[in-house]
Amino acid sequence: MPSVVFSYDNGAVALQARLGPKLAEFGLPSKLLFYSWVTSTERDYSYLSQIKQYKPFFQIMSSTLTRLLFQSGVPQEALADFFTHDDIEYIMSEYKKLKARPGLAEMMQTLRDGGFEVWCCSDANVDRVKGYFDHAGVEMPLDHILSADMVKAGKPEPAVYKFAREQAGSDKPGEVSVFAASHAWDCAAAKAASFVTAYTTTYEYDECVDIFGKADFVAPDLVSLGQGIVDKWGRK
């Protein structure tokens, strides 16, 4: 979470609204460029964490659009006035207004009815994640939201999953700790930290099993993800 339960599409829409015509001049679709922006930020966020120079995700993202545009083929002479500080502020603000993926409320209720205590482990800060759930009308206690900021490390650093396991995991007889994600690398890291894993293809589509290994359970959407977790590991 939150990518497993919230969509990134707001950011792509905001990018199109502010820079769409300029991007089109260079054959750059907004949705593709935004996806590249997010994934390159994830890379830099992770790499900086690995070399113990941790920076918050949105600080990195806000500072790296010029480089991304250059790497995407925008000529150097066009970069200076391609976007403004206000453009970045607007895009970041809209991106942070993540919308719930279809079936979120039903999945959460299914998990809780099935005996699961639901936690969230995110790279975003706690208050922002709480806001996502509140905006979606879904209950998520503040003390059940874990942020990578708490350990000054970024996913997929082992420290993040160790922290989540210590805070939310259980090794009591008859209990199981399930980590659900929509990033295959997230599941792979969680499995290395002794979670069992549940993966939804709603974001990435292709599991890439030869790269990340096989999650313990795979589902195409949130409703079937929740039900599958309960059927496989829930209270009998």
Side-chain angles (χ1 to χ4, degrees):
M1 291 184 180
S3 64
V4 65
V5 292
F6 295 102
S7 168
Y8 296 157
D9 289 349
N10 271 14
V13 172
L15 181 64
Q16 173 63 28
R18 284 300 180 108
L19 302 177
K22 286 187 175 181
L23 294 173
E25 291 178 22
F26 300 99
L28 297 172
S30 294
K31 187 169 185 178
L32 181 60
L33 189 79
F34 189 76
Y35 175 79
S36 298
W37 196 3
V38 170
T39 55
S40 65
T41 301
E42 289 174 339
R43 177 202 62 204
D44 294 343
Y45 174 83
S46 177
Y47 285 0
L48 284 167
S49 178
Q50 290 175 45
I51 62 173
K52 309 308 177 189
Q53 296 183 31
Y54 177 83
K55 299 288 192 304
F57 184 91
F58 282 104
Q59 180 182 345
I60 298 168
M61 190 170 184
S62 297
S63 301
T64 52
L65 181 56
T66 297
R67 180 178 66 183
L68 179 67
L69 291 168
F70 176 74
Q71 292 174 334
S72 299
V74 176
Q76 188 172 345
E77 58 270 18
L79 291 173
D81 60 353
F82 200 94
F83 61 87
T84 66
H85 177 73
D86 286 345
D87 290 331
I88 295 293
E89 289 291 304
Y90 176 77
I91 295 166
M92 292 298 102
S93 175
E94 291 300 301
Y95 178 31
K96 292 173 184 177
K97 300 174 185 176
L98 301 189
K99 292 182 178 179
R101 296 191 188 277
L104 170 59
E106 183 177 344
M107 180 195 73
M108 297 288 276
Q109 193 60 53
T110 296
L111 290 170
R112 286 168 173 153
D113 289 347
F116 283 94
E117 185 178 5
V118 182
W119 294 68
C120 180
C121 178
S122 174
D123 285 330
N125 70 52
V126 169
D127 290 335
R128 183 172 299 134
V129 175
K130 174 64 173 168
Y132 298 156
F133 282 100
D134 288 348
H135 184 70
V138 174
E139 180 188 1
M140 175 56 74
L142 192 65
D143 62 1
H144 277 49
I145 300 172
L146 307 175
S147 171
D149 289 344
M150 294 174 172
V151 291
K152 299 300 181 186
K155 290 182 176 181
E157 282 279 302
V160 179
Y161 302 89
K162 182 177 184 290
F163 175 66
R165 190 89 171 97
E166 291 170 349
Q167 297 296 311
S170 176
D171 293 310
K172 295 178 182 178
E175 294 191 3
V176 62
S177 298
V178 182
F179 190 98
S182 62
H183 287 102
W185 58 259
D186 210 2
C187 279
K191 182 169 281 194
S194 300
F195 284 98
V196 296
T197 55
Y199 173 72
T200 174
T201 58
T202 187
Y203 176 57
E204 294 177 332
Y205 176 68
D206 186 356
E207 297 175 61
C208 293
V209 174
D210 57 327
I211 303 297
F212 301 104
K214 185 74 175 175
D216 297 297
F217 177 74
V218 179
D221 54 59
L222 297 190
V223 174
S224 55
L225 183 73
Q227 190 59 58
I229 290 172
V230 170
D231 290 345
K232 193 173 181 68
W233 297 294
R235 185 168 50 205
K236 306 301 182 185

